[in-house]
Amino acid sequence: MLFAARESETMTQPVNNRPDTPCVAVCSTLFDDICRGCGRTATEVSHWVSMSQAEKDAVWDRIIREGYPRRKI
């Protein structure tokens, strides 16, 4: 239960307190359409550094809604 509470706190942080990337080093984009760790598509992963902040925020909003990233604290 403690883990769930900590994870919930991390994923509901204000936008300005989010990590630089949703990556959790559990990459599966070579085999899956959506990464099992962060919830991004292979295209989103490969273009992350060149995406605008608005594009990144849209990805963050979607993956958080879908229960990602699966980050261990």
Side-chain angles (χ1 to χ4, degrees), residues 4-9 14 17 19 21-24 26 32 34-36 38 41 45 48 52 55 57 60 67-69:
R6 286 184 183 168
E7 184 174 359
S8 175
E9 289 170 13
N17 290 337
T21 176
C23 182
V24 295
V26 181
D32 299 312
I34 300 291
C35 179
R36 294 180 195 180
C38 70
T41 65
V45 171
W48 188 258
S52 70
E55 291 169 320
D57 290 343
W60 269 108
Y68 294 94

Side-chain angles (χ1 to χ4, degrees), residues 28-30 32-35 39-48:
S28 68
T29 54
L30 291 176
D32 299 312
D33 292 334
I34 300 291
C35 179
R40 295 178 292 171
T41 65
T43 301
E44 290 167 339
V45 171
S46 64
H47 290 98
W48 188 258

